[in-house]
């Protein structure tokens, strides 16, 4: 369902390396987004991290990833598997303050 949207166009002259499977690249991208890991930490069961990162950037710039996610949401809604009456957003941010709290005793070496 998402693969036709995300599949890239091959070169007209059919040169270059064969493309990695779109599904495995998407799984690699989703692994990075889910774990928050760096691209170079992508496990070997996925295509090379350079490929996953490059395709992710292409999908974002061309809005293909958003189109694919909208298509998925529409299909899930039509099947009754997506309830649009509920939404959960987790945007927990904690600001990092420079220096310690005034109530904390200074380290002996600094004190």
């Amino acid at each position: 369902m998402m693969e036709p949207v995300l599949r890239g166009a091959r070169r007209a002259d059919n040169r270059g390396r064969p493309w990695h499977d779109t599904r495995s690249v998407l799984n690699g991208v989703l692994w990075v987004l889910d774990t928050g890991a760096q691209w170079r930490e992508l496990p070997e069961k996925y295509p090379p991290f350079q490929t996953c990162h490059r395709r992710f950037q292409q999908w974002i710039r061309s809005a293909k990833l958003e189109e694919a996610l909208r298509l998925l949401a529409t299909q899930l809604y039509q099947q009754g598997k997506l309830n649009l009456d509920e939404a959960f957003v987790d945007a927990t941010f904690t600001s990092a303050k420079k220096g310690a709290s005034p109530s904390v005793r200074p380290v002996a070496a600094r004190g």
Side-chain angles (χ1 to χ4, degrees):
M1 166 191 50
M2 294 174 67
E3 204 269 340
V5 175
L6 298 177
R7 184 184 323 127
R10 293 285 296 155
R11 289 176 50 154
D13 58 6
N14 213 16
R15 295 177 65 191
R17 291 182 172 210
W19 275 44
H20 286 279
D21 177 45
T22 302
R23 184 180 187 133
S24 61
V25 173
L26 178 61
N27 285 338
V29 168
L30 293 175
W31 183 88
V32 170
L33 295 177
D34 182 49
T35 62
Q38 295 180 358
W39 288 101
R40 66 175 174 265
E41 297 172 352
L42 192 67
E44 289 186 17
K45 68 180 182 177
Y46 301 111
F49 76 89
Q50 297 94 332
T51 300
C52 294
H53 183 254
R54 184 181 65 251
R55 292 246 205 119
F56 174 67
Q57 289 180 327
Q58 291 170 348
W59 294 337
I60 292 296
R61 288 184 188 128
S62 66
K64 286 186 175 185
L65 186 60
E66 183 177 346
E67 180 183 347
L69 292 174
R70 286 186 188 278
L71 181 66
L72 176 64
T74 301
Q75 185 175 13
L76 290 174
Y77 178 74
Q78 290 171 349
Q79 295 173 358
K81 296 179 181 179
L82 180 65
N83 183 358
L84 297 177
D85 294 333
E86 294 183 11
F88 298 95
V89 177
D90 182 15
T92 306
F93 294 98
T94 305
S95 60
K97 305 283 189 223
K98 188 171 183 177
S101 171
S103 64
V104 176
R105 300 176 85 199
V107 178
R110 294 185 191 163

